[in-house]
Amino acid sequence: MISPRVASPIASSKAPGAPVPTRPRLILASASPRRLDLLARLGLAPDAIDPADIDETPLKAELPTDHARRLAAAKAAATAARHPGCVVLAADTVVAAGRRILPKAEDADAVAACLALLSGRRHRVLTALSVVDAGGVARHRLSTTIVAFAPLSAAAIAAYVEGGEGVGKAGGYAIQGAAEAFVRRIDGSHSGVVGLPLFETRGLLIAAGLLEG
């Protein structure tokens, strides 16, 4: 497990000598090192990392946006139940081709299948966020990014699969790696495609009292 780093308390606007308020503990409900790195760009590090263990199987006829929102909210609620009085941040990223939810590629064959489907077309990357504040209030946001891939030859797909970075990734690719060379155009949040949209995350953490606006 990644050893969490402790962030500094929020600066106080009170008069000198007044007690400095301490911020609530921040719990990241994800083991993703990419989300941990992105969170650090906001000047925050979680006090603990406690991923939620939930069933991520899509419901019958569930739309990609509904799926992402449902899973993020479920992850946040499950982890918040174990950490009362803390702020919990959860996220879920879904790659969608039309109404189809692409899987989190578990092996090389799945990576190749995803890339073949995405080759030469646009797709959506949806990252849903849920933050439960110290008082138990849940807030939610959704980042939607359109990514357009160039046409990919069989050789290009095979080379990417050989590199191994697509395994375990939603849609079978990591935009922060070699797959960025496949991207012809992106409309939306690059950090959202990586897994934690910073604009939306900042807004939710301001509302939760962890960041100043």
Side-chain angles (χ1 to χ4, degrees):
M1 174 175 288
I2 301 168
S3 298
R5 298 162 289 172
V6 178
S8 300
I10 297 173
S12 173
S13 59
K14 293 186 177 182
V20 177
T22 57
R23 66 166 179 82
R25 283 168 52 84
L26 172 62
I27 313 299
L28 179 61
S30 171
S32 166
R34 295 165 299 283
R35 290 186 176 128
L36 187 66
D37 289 344
L38 286 166
L39 190 60
R41 297 185 189 179
L42 296 176
L44 288 172
D47 297 284
I49 296 171
D50 186 10
D53 183 16
I54 65 169
D55 183 1
E56 299 189 18
T57 306
L59 301 177
K60 184 177 181 180
E62 188 173 36
L63 295 175
T65 51
D66 296 336
H67 181 65
R69 287 187 173 116
R70 178 174 64 84
L71 292 190
K75 290 175 181 179
T79 298
R82 299 194 289 268
H83 299 276
C86 297
V87 174
V88 172
L89 168 63
D92 189 79
T93 299
V94 170
V95 175
R99 296 167 61 95
R100 178 176 176 178
I101 298 171
L102 273 66
K104 184 178 291 185
E106 299 298 338
D107 54 33
D109 289 342
V111 173
C114 286
L115 292 182
L117 178 65
L118 298 177
S119 173
R121 65 181 294 179
R122 296 190 305 168
H123 61 277
R124 289 176 296 152
V125 180
L126 312 163
T127 294
L129 298 170
S130 288
V131 169
V132 179
D133 68 19
V137 176
R139 297 178 177 88
H140 315 284
R141 296 289 295 274
L142 179 72
S143 167
T144 301
T145 302
I146 306 298
V147 180
F149 267 22
L152 303 177
S153 66
I157 291 174
Y160 186 77
V161 170
E162 181 70 20
E165 76 173 16
V167 174
K169 306 297 192 302
Y173 76 93
I175 198 170
Q176 70 275 18
E180 189 163 6
F182 302 155
V183 177
R184 181 170 54 81
R185 182 180 178 88
I186 178 171
D187 294 312
S189 169
H190 185 276
S191 58
V193 180
V194 177
L196 192 72
L198 293 180
F199 178 80
E200 291 82 359
T201 300
R202 179 176 180 271
L204 287 176
L205 294 180
I206 288 171
L210 283 182
L211 291 173
E212 294 183 339

